[in-house]
Amino acid sequence: MLKITLRLILIFLCGYLVIEWFPITYPIDLSEILVGPIIYPLEFFAATLAFFFCIFFSLQLFQEIHRLTMKIVKKKHSKR
C-alpha cells in the first residue's frame, strides 16, 4: 500500500512539474510551441524528463493494480 501511495504522489508531482516547466498560453499559438524549446531548452528538457517519469510511474502503478486485482480474483475463484 505504501508503494502505491508513493507512486501516486510521484505521478502528481511529475505532472505538476510538466505543467510548470512547459507552459502553454491560450489561445494556443503553434509558433510559440515550436520556438519555446529552442529559446528555453533547459525547461523543455526538464519537462520532457518529468513527463517520461510520470508515464513510467503510471505504468508501474497500473501493473501493480492489475497484479493485485488478479490476485484477488484468483483467490475468490479458488474458494468456490
Side-chain angles (χ1 to χ4, degrees):
M1 190 66 177
L2 181 64
K3 287 176 16 178
I4 292 174
T5 306
L6 180 64
R7 285 189 183 131
L8 283 172
I9 291 170
L10 287 173
I11 290 168
F12 178 76
L13 179 67
C14 288
Y16 176 76
L17 291 176
V18 168
I19 292 169
E20 276 296 311
W21 288 335
F22 195 74
I24 297 177
T25 58
Y26 292 102
I28 297 174
D29 187 18
L30 184 61
S31 64
E32 196 172 308
I33 293 174
L34 295 175
V35 174
I38 296 171
I39 295 173
Y40 306 110
L42 185 61
E43 286 86 2
F44 176 73
F45 183 69
T48 305
L49 281 178
F51 178 74
F52 284 125
F53 279 123
C54 186
I55 296 296
F56 177 73
F57 291 133
S58 296
L59 290 175
Q60 282 186 343
L61 180 68
F62 289 141
Q63 286 177 346
E64 184 73 21
I65 290 173
H66 181 264
R67 186 184 63 78
L68 290 174
T69 304
M70 294 308 291
K71 187 176 181 181
I72 291 170
V73 168
K74 286 181 182 179
K75 192 176 189 180
K76 286 186 179 181
H77 283 300
S78 66
K79 287 183 179 180
R80 290 183 182 178

